[in-house]
Every structure is written in C-alpha cells, then in structure tokens.
Amino acid sequence: MLVRHSDPDAELRSNLVDYARLWPDEAERVQPFLDLLDDAQDPFRRERLEGHFTGGCWLVDRAGERVLLTHHRKLERWLQLGGHADGDRDLARVTLREAEEESGLTDLSVEPQPFDLDRHWIPERRDVPGHWHYDVRYVVRANGSEDYVVSEESLDLAWRRIDELLDDPHSDESMRRMARKWLARKG
C-alpha cells in the first residue's frame, strides 16, 4: 500500500527506509542518502556542490523487456535517463519530468517507490567542480508510443534489451545491477 505524505522529505525518508528492507544487500547505500536528506543546505539544488539529489529513470517499454538508454553527451557513456531536481523535493516527479524531456515520450507513468540508489562522482566540467550525485532511480513505463526524440542532452538514445545488459562488458555496473533487479522482479 502506498502511503503519500504531505511532506515530500518524510515520504522520501520512508521510501529510503523501505528500500533498505526490500534490498538488504544494499542497505549500506541508504545511510548516505538519509544523511544528505538531513543536511541543512538544500540537497535538492545543484548549487550544493558537495553533492545533491538527482532523479534517475529506468524507462521500460510496455512489454518490460527493453530499457531506453541515453548516450550521455557530457559523460559519453550509455546510461539511464535522469537529471537534477532543481529544487523539486518530489524525486518521482523529477524523474518523470526528466524522462519526458530527454525522450520526447509523453504517455509515461512512474512508480512511486525508488527502484535503485546510486551515489556516483561527476567529474569537473568547465566552471563546475567535481561533485557527488545521489541518484534516486524510479521505474518509468512507456504506455503509448515508443518513438523517442533525441534531446540536446544526448548524443543518441536507444532501446536496449534488458537481458543483454547483463553480459555487456561496456555496460556500467549500476546498469547491470538494475537489469538484475528488473529480471528478478519479472521472473
């Protein structure tokens, strides 16, 4: 049962605690996210250069067999869609917004509980120093057309079979982790 809180921070905290129970082998990932949530400096703004929350998107097709990946323009790697919260404390909403903006898809729905957590380093770029992204990732489903549009944030987009990500040596470890989770969930 989904319990919606009027306080998005309380909802995120509850979801993070639930995540640790659902994925006990990943429980150690949760505490840094909880610590960030308690930080007095707004962790939902990219201007917090020590690190900040981002919303990541495991965007699956209607059949649940493929995931839409971006060839990320800045990082030059195939990754999930997603982006900065820019002050929005509802990370599921952030994820849905980013999925729509980066894919051009419109008939999407987001699951309210986090699917994956990943803290990763973003290297220095121009006038922005290196910093941590605390990526809270949600499942987003394509319910209508799967004809995407490549945005300026991507070099390219592609639907990739989820089962093939497991054996792809070029696939990011967090991508393989999400593929394992998805396939276990579907099985």
Side-chain angles (χ1 to χ4, degrees), residues 121-160:
W121 184 252
I122 301 298
E124 178 179 351
R125 187 160 191 274
R126 291 191 215 132
D127 60 340
V128 179
H131 58 279
W132 291 102
H133 276 184
Y134 291 75
D135 201 26
V136 181
R137 298 168 172 175
Y138 294 83
V139 171
V140 175
R141 292 183 177 270
N143 301 308
S145 172
E146 295 174 3
D147 296 333
Y148 56 79
V149 176
V150 179
S151 77
E152 63 187 35
E153 293 187 33
S154 299
L155 295 170
D156 199 3
L157 294 175
W159 286 106
R160 296 274 313 274

Side-chain angles (χ1 to χ4, degrees), residues 44 53-56 82-101 138:
F44 294 89
F53 284 113
T54 55
H84 290 97
D86 291 328
D88 189 342
R89 301 179 93 80
D90 183 337
L91 292 177
R93 182 173 53 218
V94 167
T95 299
L96 185 59
R97 179 187 71 228
E98 290 293 328
E100 291 170 343
E101 288 176 3
Y138 294 83

Side-chain angles (χ1 to χ4, degrees), residues 65-102:
E65 295 175 356
R66 299 177 303 156
V67 61
L68 188 62
L69 300 182
T70 175
H71 191 192
H72 198 278
R73 183 172 296 282
K74 293 177 185 172
L75 300 176
E76 297 183 5
R77 295 187 349 223
W78 285 98
L79 299 169
Q80 76 288 337
L81 302 174
H84 290 97
D86 291 328
D88 189 342
R89 301 179 93 80
D90 183 337
L91 292 177
R93 182 173 53 218
V94 167
T95 299
L96 185 59
R97 179 187 71 228
E98 290 293 328
E100 291 170 343
E101 288 176 3
E102 292 183 13

Side-chain angles (χ1 to χ4, degrees), residues 6 16 31 57 88 107 111 113 116 135 148 173 185:
S6 58
L16 291 170
Q31 193 58 52
C57 174
D88 189 342
D107 192 6
E111 293 182 3
Q113 276 78 29
D116 190 65
D135 201 26
Y148 56 79
E173 171 52 35
R185 177 174 146 169

Side-chain angles (χ1 to χ4, degrees), residues 36 39 41 47-52 119 121 130-132 134:
L36 182 63
D39 194 296
Q41 198 179 9
E47 294 81 12
R48 186 187 183 283
L49 293 179
E50 298 82 14
H52 44 263
R119 179 178 171 256
W121 184 252
H131 58 279
W132 291 102
Y134 291 75

Side-chain angles (χ1 to χ4, degrees), residues 100-117:
E100 291 170 343
E101 288 176 3
E102 292 183 13
S103 72
L105 300 175
T106 57
D107 192 6
L108 302 175
S109 59
V110 63
E111 293 182 3
Q113 276 78 29
F115 175 65
D116 190 65
L117 300 177

